Amino acid sequence: MSTPAPPSEPDFEDLRGLARGLRLLVEIGARTLTEDAGPSGLARRVTAHLGCELTAVVQVTERFPSWENVNVQRGVDAYLAARHSDPDWFGAAGLGHRPHEDMLSLITMPAHVGPVRIMAAGGVRVASAGDLGVGAASYGTAPVGPDENTEVVTFGLVASSAPDGAPVVIGIRDESRFGAPFCNLDILAADQAAATAARDEIERLMRVYDVFRGQVLSFTASEHHGNELVTFLPRPSIAPQDVVLPEGMLENIERHIIGIAEWSRELLDAGQHLKRGLLLHGPPGTGKTHTIRYLTGRLTNSTIILLTGRSIRFIDQAAALARRLQPSMVVLEDVDLVATDRDFAQDGNPLLFSLLDAMDGVGADADVTFALTTNRADILETALADRPGRVDLAIEIPRPDARCRQRLLQVYARDLAVDADLAEVVAGSEGVTASFIKELIRRTVLASLRVGERPPVLRGAHFAEVLAEMNSEHHALTRALLGAGTDGGEPAATDHRQRGRKARLWSPRPAGPARRSGPTTSAACCARPACTRRAIISPRAGSLRLTCARSRMTRSSGRYGCRRRWACNRPPTGNSAGPPGTWTSSMPSAESPRPLATSR
């Protein structure tokens, strides 16, 4: 019995030709099914209103940040209301999530049959798109105030007309849930001019009915995709008598912030700028943030944008929003976090340049205020004050004197029964801050409650007990955190912050720590020829000013070669010893001199 010969190996080119033929056959089948199915129900609804073929539909799209969805909704609602039309929003049934396709692509997708996909392994797949029939619109919620929300369309279409009467279809689509953090306004029409006119009118109405106008806002970042969000904050209500500052200081601040707005038209007619900058600086706990809160409550017709901590990175968005919603005020708390002098960092801080660009880009004619607060005015970038409108008023808020401490005690204890000589409390709280006094009142109330007094009574013995406790050595860090003083009224926090730090003497690359030269502490002024930068040497919290022997240099001078030595030119204070002009370190060893803090 003979064995048949095995079949020969198929030719590789024949197999490739067979594969191409099969793929062509599937594609022809898919196109045939698509043509038989015709346009989807959603496409028929749109073309019936526009009166044209689907291929002739023009789409005009405007993209906004996702937090503008509520304003897009307000603009569309106002546009529809002006045309006396009852909006009938509709969407697509069985659409699924397709964040990377635009509105017109979704509408033109045929019924039943989706796109043909050639797989990586050489296979062909005909995807099912579902029946894109007419369904209900999708809705979500968006805030319109600190405690108020409203419904917004996240995916929907509505039939309307352009300003000239031509039919248009308006669409809103929020992509932020499954795609990029944007909200699209889509206008479909048979004529591009009609679609553009409808879009422009909706944008105008968005600004007229802007939900952010006159609100207190802050920028945050959501956990989803890192999207930026705008948060509404309640507007504080603080009476002028509750802002305890030295005589005339609050009036000066109000004149600069509020007074300029009252004469805005006259100032513009005289060719003067309206944009202004305010810097509040001073020790922690003296009332800088409290003063800003008071201004926020006073400016009831202004939009306030508060940036603090990580939200300062949204300075560009905040400046654009302030320009749009003027009169407005942009508040940057602890601005030294991003506006440190460029001499402290070799490459600079990118947020510093964003801040300077934002303050310049708003425009001199804009009724916008930039209010900055800091505890470290000595390290701020001097370019903040180089141009009018950046910072044109800097006010130091000091620790309260005896009169201010008396007023603070009266403010924080005004609703409580007091049986004590407040003059003794004022005398015993020399060098403290407003935060310290507020905590003093709270602890005194607790002391009264512990002895069974209902309601509590603030007695002299309670004050004495609490003051002794807060001034004890065991509460040194607490006093530092509250901005309270130590010997001579100097801040205890300064010693804690500076301990162990190296000298930073205004250079991109410091020359090293301070060097000890007999009883005089000196340090090398580094990296600039003819350098005349100044430094401050701080044995405790005092300020012993050191200056370079040469004349003051200009910023344009070179940056290399200077090795000048610094020498003290003021009498010693605090822990210093020896004749004027010298300073003896209080550190345990000569190899570890007291650290230096720098200033101009």
Side-chain angles (χ1 to χ4, degrees), residues 243-245 253 280-294 373 375 397-400 408 412 433-435:
V243 183
V244 181
L245 297 176
I253 294 173
L280 299 180
H281 63 98
T286 52
K288 299 181 292 294
T289 299
H290 190 65
T291 304
I292 292 295
R293 286 172 53 81
Y294 166 74
T373 69
N375 301 330
I397 300 183
R399 290 181 176 82
L408 286 168
Y412 292 130
T433 62
S435 299

Side-chain angles (χ1 to χ4, degrees), residues 505 511 523-528 531-533 548 562-566:
L505 294 177
C525 170
C526 42
R528 283 197 173 104
C531 177
T532 59
R533 296 287 188 179
C548 187
C562 178
R563 298 292 293 181
R564 303 294 297 176
R565 292 175 65 83
W566 302 92

Side-chain angles (χ1 to χ4, degrees), residues 44 63 264 365 423 425:
R44 291 194 296 270
R63 173 169 281 197
S264 58
D365 61 335
V425 181

Side-chain angles (χ1 to χ4, degrees), residues 116-262:
V116 177
R117 297 181 181 176
I118 308 301
M119 310 304 292
V124 181
R125 176 185 174 189
V126 181
S128 175
D131 188 359
L132 284 183
V134 179
S138 300
Y139 294 88
T141 58
V144 293
D147 301 308
E148 185 180 358
N149 294 327
T150 188
E151 280 193 346
V152 294
V153 174
T154 56
F155 182 88
L157 298 152
V158 63
S160 184
S161 60
D164 62 358
V168 296
V169 173
I170 302 171
I172 298 177
R173 187 182 183 199
D174 182 10
E175 306 172 356
S176 59
R177 185 176 179 185
F178 297 100
F182 295 106
C183 173
N184 287 349
L185 170 65
D186 298 301
I187 311 296
L188 306 178
D191 178 64
Q192 182 180 354
T196 302
R199 179 204 59 190
D200 294 344
E201 178 62 13
I202 291 174
E203 286 189 2
R204 186 189 70 82
L205 293 172
M206 285 173 58
R207 303 307 165 224
V208 172
Y209 298 99
D210 200 315
V211 72
F212 300 136
R213 188 177 303 279
Q215 298 280 0
V216 181
L217 309 170
S218 179
F219 279 87
T220 59
S222 72
E223 297 178 356
H224 181 72
H225 296 314
N227 301 344
E228 63 265 22
L229 303 174
V230 173
T231 303
F232 291 85
L233 303 175
R235 189 179 295 270
S237 178
I238 300 175
Q241 58 268 24
D242 292 342
V243 183
V244 181
L245 297 176
E247 190 69 29
M249 184 175 291
L250 183 60
E251 290 76 11
N252 189 17
I253 294 173
E254 289 181 312
R255 232 179 0 254
H256 184 69
I257 302 300
I258 303 173
I260 290 179
E262 295 174 350

Side-chain angles (χ1 to χ4, degrees), residues 196-455:
T196 302
R199 179 204 59 190
D200 294 344
E201 178 62 13
I202 291 174
E203 286 189 2
R204 186 189 70 82
L205 293 172
M206 285 173 58
R207 303 307 165 224
V208 172
Y209 298 99
D210 200 315
V211 72
F212 300 136
R213 188 177 303 279
Q215 298 280 0
V216 181
L217 309 170
S218 179
F219 279 87
T220 59
S222 72
E223 297 178 356
H224 181 72
H225 296 314
N227 301 344
E228 63 265 22
L229 303 174
V230 173
T231 303
F232 291 85
L233 303 175
R235 189 179 295 270
S237 178
I238 300 175
Q241 58 268 24
D242 292 342
V243 183
V244 181
L245 297 176
E247 190 69 29
M249 184 175 291
L250 183 60
E251 290 76 11
N252 189 17
I253 294 173
E254 289 181 312
R255 232 179 0 254
H256 184 69
I257 302 300
I258 303 173
I260 290 179
E262 295 174 350
W263 297 97
S264 58
R265 179 51 53 194
E266 290 78 4
L267 284 170
L268 289 177
D269 292 342
Q272 303 302 307
H273 67 274
L274 293 182
K275 186 182 64 173
R276 50 212 180 270
L278 169 69
L279 173 66
L280 299 180
H281 63 98
T286 52
K288 299 181 292 294
T289 299
H290 190 65
T291 304
I292 292 295
R293 286 172 53 81
Y294 166 74
L295 293 175
T296 300
R298 277 292 312 272
L299 298 169
T300 54
N301 296 323
S302 297
T303 304
I304 311 297
I305 305 173
L306 177 63
L307 301 179
T308 180
R310 296 179 61 185
S311 65
I312 295 181
R313 62 192 175 101
F314 298 112
I315 180 62
D316 293 329
Q317 295 91 322
L321 200 59
R323 169 75 180 182
R324 189 178 93 197
L325 302 175
Q326 57 181 298
S328 58
M329 180 170 71
V330 180
V331 178
L332 291 95
E333 293 270 16
D334 298 317
V335 70
D336 52 278
L337 296 177
V338 298
T340 304
D341 193 290
R342 279 170 281 188
D343 289 330
F344 276 123
Q346 184 171 0
D347 299 323
N349 188 338
L351 284 178
L352 169 62
F353 304 110
S354 294
L355 173 61
L356 297 178
D357 289 343
M359 297 179 78
D360 292 337
V362 166
D365 61 335
D367 191 359
V368 176
T369 301
F370 286 90
L372 319 177
T373 69
T374 181
N375 301 330
R376 302 291 308 279
D378 56 319
I379 65 172
L380 287 182
E381 169 62 41
T382 56
L384 285 173
D386 282 349
R387 296 184 188 178
R390 281 182 178 169
V391 174
D392 37 32
L393 178 64
I395 292 184
E396 179 182 10
I397 300 183
R399 290 181 176 82
D401 56 14
R403 187 186 67 86
C404 289
R405 294 198 302 276
Q406 177 83 22
R407 289 177 55 196
L408 286 168
L409 288 170
Q410 294 170 352
V411 168
Y412 292 130
R414 101 181 109 205
D415 296 326
L416 300 168
V418 179
D419 183 15
D421 185 2
L422 293 183
E424 295 182 359
V425 181
V426 170
S429 57
E430 178 72 26
V432 305
T433 62
S435 299
F436 185 95
I437 292 178
K438 186 176 181 179
E439 178 64 14
L440 171 66
I441 295 296
R442 188 182 73 90
R443 294 194 185 194
T444 306
V445 171
L446 286 173
S448 176
L449 293 173
R450 289 192 189 103
V451 298
E453 295 179 337
R454 305 288 192 279

Side-chain angles (χ1 to χ4, degrees), residues 481-564:
L481 295 174
L482 294 173
T486 56
D487 298 340
E490 296 294 352
T494 306
D495 257 352
H496 175 72
R497 287 195 306 268
Q498 292 182 354
R499 188 172 295 119
R501 290 175 56 188
K502 293 183 178 180
R504 304 183 68 183
L505 294 177
W506 302 94
S507 80
R509 191 176 297 279
R515 293 190 294 276
R516 183 102 175 151
S517 176
T520 303
T521 295
S522 62
C525 170
C526 42
R528 283 197 173 104
C531 177
T532 59
R533 296 287 188 179
R534 295 180 178 180
I536 293 177
I537 190 167
S538 300
R540 298 196 66 163
S543 297
L544 303 182
R545 186 168 296 281
L546 309 179
T547 58
C548 187
R550 300 191 184 183
S551 59
R552 185 172 178 83
M553 63 167 286
T554 61
R555 182 175 290 277
S556 61
S557 299
R559 299 175 71 84
Y560 302 99
C562 178
R563 298 292 293 181
R564 303 294 297 176

